[in-house]
Amino acid sequence: MTETTTTVEIGAAAEFPAGAARIVEVDGRKIGVFNCDGDFLAIEDRCSHDDGPLAEGPFDPDTCTVECPRHGSLFDLRTGRPRTLPAYMPVDTFDVRIEDGTVKLEVS
Amino acid sequence: MATPETVTATPGSLEGIKDSYEYGFHDSEKDYIFKAKKGLNRRVVEEISDHKNEPAWMREFRLKALEHFESRPMPKWAGGHMDQIDFQNIHYFVRASEKQGRTWDEVPDDIKNTFDKLGIPEAERKYLAGVGAQYESEVVYHQVREDLEKQGVIFMDMDTALREHEDLVREYWATVIPPNDNKLAALNSAVWSGGSFVYVPPGVHVEMPLQAYFRINTENMGQFERTLIIADEGSFVHYIEGCTAPTYTTDSLHSAVVEIVCKPGSRTRYTTIQNWSHNVYNLVTKRAVAHEGATMEWIDGNLGSKLTMKYPSIYLMGPEAHGEILSIAFAGKGQHQDAGGKCVHVAPHTTSTITSKSISKDGGRASYRGLLEVAPGAVKARSKVVCDALLLDEHSRSDTYPTIRIGEDDVDIGHEATVSKIGEEQLFYLRSRGLSEEEASGMIVGGFIEPFTRELPMEYAVEMNRLIELQMEGSIG
């Protein structure tokens, strides 16, 4: 089986400052994109605890974590793994790259 | 927990017992150091933080938690009782003593007398490795055996731990129960005060129990202790908590958060004998994580309070971790015991047992609310859930709300539930052996909760049986 990858342009890197976060929708799937001090990271916008939204929660660029707004699990944006309960399952992560000054998200 | 030395009734006998709640007395507040005005707002939270001279991160944690508390709706699923709580009619912080005693002589006389009546100093001398005594919002006495301190065991109140072991506290703080886990955890996170901090180094076995005792004295008081226990690799600790309060015509609130981390190969037992007066709302969040090969045991007895909502949880995060929850609830007149437990199997070869026993009488209501969850990949997980309810009359009520979610095929899960009444034949048989009807009923109830009492240290089992007898007073005729 061949896996297809979709590349989505998020916008100009210059307009996506450190500490900023955006939620984009790709093929009906919501994904949170975060700028951790120049390091662009993306995870699915779904808390594995109860499938509620995740990426709109408080984002801490110092620790590269996002906190589930519903029950407070802290997710590591690099690995997708929860650092605190009540969530215990990881969520999907995605590659983000900067090309010609544009932030590009790769969704497979 | 009262001392075993106060035991006067022989098992099965109810003679001479007039007052069914003997801890309902209260002390004078004339020598109190500080009592916050009633009500909850940002200023009260800042005031608590100021009194404790806390680091900035804790102050921010509190204020953020207050926002969570204010933004969350009140849970509706416990019969609507929680809507009756007036959160603006509560004192959120009361300091009864200037400093904490390391000997009982350093504790103010009134407070020491109360703990004497409850039997704590005597119990400490006889069979405990350490004691923490919380009175109102703060711990007024704390002591741990010197030999344990030399082995690196830390047992102190949470306020002191935050000052003396800030890095260790911060590493684990709210990792098991985040502040917005639920509305009451958010409340505790905003206004917490007191509670215990326990750290047991790798390989150290604390053979005698550590005990914490929580006492509310003030009317319309809120007690919000925070407990964090870390059992490092291969260690063992048994922590016991007890609690009582005066009987008032208005309500008080107790809302604790207890977090436990069981590192690989360790074992933690947490025993609760909850005996609040019947005007206390007891809304507690307790959760533990058990890593590879670790064992976590919640032994949870609920006799007192107006409404208890408490579901001790265990997340089995590492292979071959084991969880045990043994819960009993006794709901008498005007009481609702909404108790239970949760086990979440995250790793393979994990095992758990949840045993719930409830007794309802005089119109009381006991509920079992539980969760058993097996995550995908937790192969060979095994769990057994048993819920038994005993109804002592036709006015009382028992409910069971079990939830089971299985995300893995290769598991072994069992669930059994029974509801029963005391049978005429049982009573007839026991009466034919010379017991009165009251004695016979007491004996049947004692047998029903025997799986719980046999897990208690002997002194506590004696006390537990006595408390059950008090609850059974006047149950016949």
Side-chain angles (χ1 to χ4, degrees), chain B residues 344-369:
Chain B
V344 180
H345 293 249
V346 180
H349 298 277
T350 45
T351 51
S352 69
T353 307
I354 301 175
T355 306
S356 165
K357 298 259 182 186
S358 72
I359 301 150
S360 311
K361 79 184 255 288
D362 296 336
R365 180 178 173 188
S367 311
Y368 166 78
R369 204 178 291 275

Side-chain angles (χ1 to χ4, degrees), chain B residues 398-449:
Chain B
S398 171
D399 305 275
T400 305
Y401 307 95
T403 301
I404 298 181
R405 296 189 202 120
I406 311 293
E408 177 59 54
D409 292 335
D410 186 9
V411 295
D412 182 357
I413 306 296
H415 177 94
E416 306 170 14
T418 64
V419 181
S420 54
K421 294 180 178 176
I422 292 182
E424 289 296 323
E425 282 183 14
Q426 287 173 305
L427 283 176
F428 179 76
Y429 173 77
L430 288 168
R431 293 190 69 185
S432 75
R433 311 297 291 181
L435 298 179
S436 69
E437 192 171 346
E438 210 162 65
E439 287 170 333
S441 298
M443 186 174 279
I444 291 165
V445 170
F448 180 73
I449 64 154

Side-chain angles (χ1 to χ4, degrees), chain B residues 29 34-45 47-48 86-94 187 191 218-222 224 248-253:
Chain B
E29 298 171 26
F34 178 76
K35 186 174 178 179
K37 285 182 184 167
K38 283 181 182 175
L40 179 63
N41 52 49
R42 187 182 172 95
R43 201 178 57 76
V44 167
V45 172
E47 201 170 44
I48 294 170
D86 181 357
F87 287 99
Q88 297 305 332
N89 191 36
I90 289 169
H91 296 285
Y92 283 86
F93 183 70
V94 179
L187 177 64
V191 297
T218 294
E219 191 169 11
N220 298 121
M221 164 75 187
F224 306 95
Y248 290 117
T249 53
T250 56
D251 296 327
S252 288
L253 172 62

Side-chain angles (χ1 to χ4, degrees), chain A residues 49 58 67-73 83-89, chain B residues 64 68 72 175-176 178 180-181 287 289 315 317 344 346 373 375:
Chain A
H49 171 228
E67 183 186 316
C68 170
R70 285 166 54 78
H71 299 99
S73 275
R83 286 190 188 176
T84 65
L85 292 176
Y88 56 82
M89 297 290 280
Chain B
K64 192 172 151 193
H68 289 310
R72 290 185 87 99
T175 58
V176 184
N180 57 341
D181 186 88
R287 188 179 292 156
V289 290
Y315 282 67
M317 305 298 283
V344 180
V346 180
E373 184 167 319

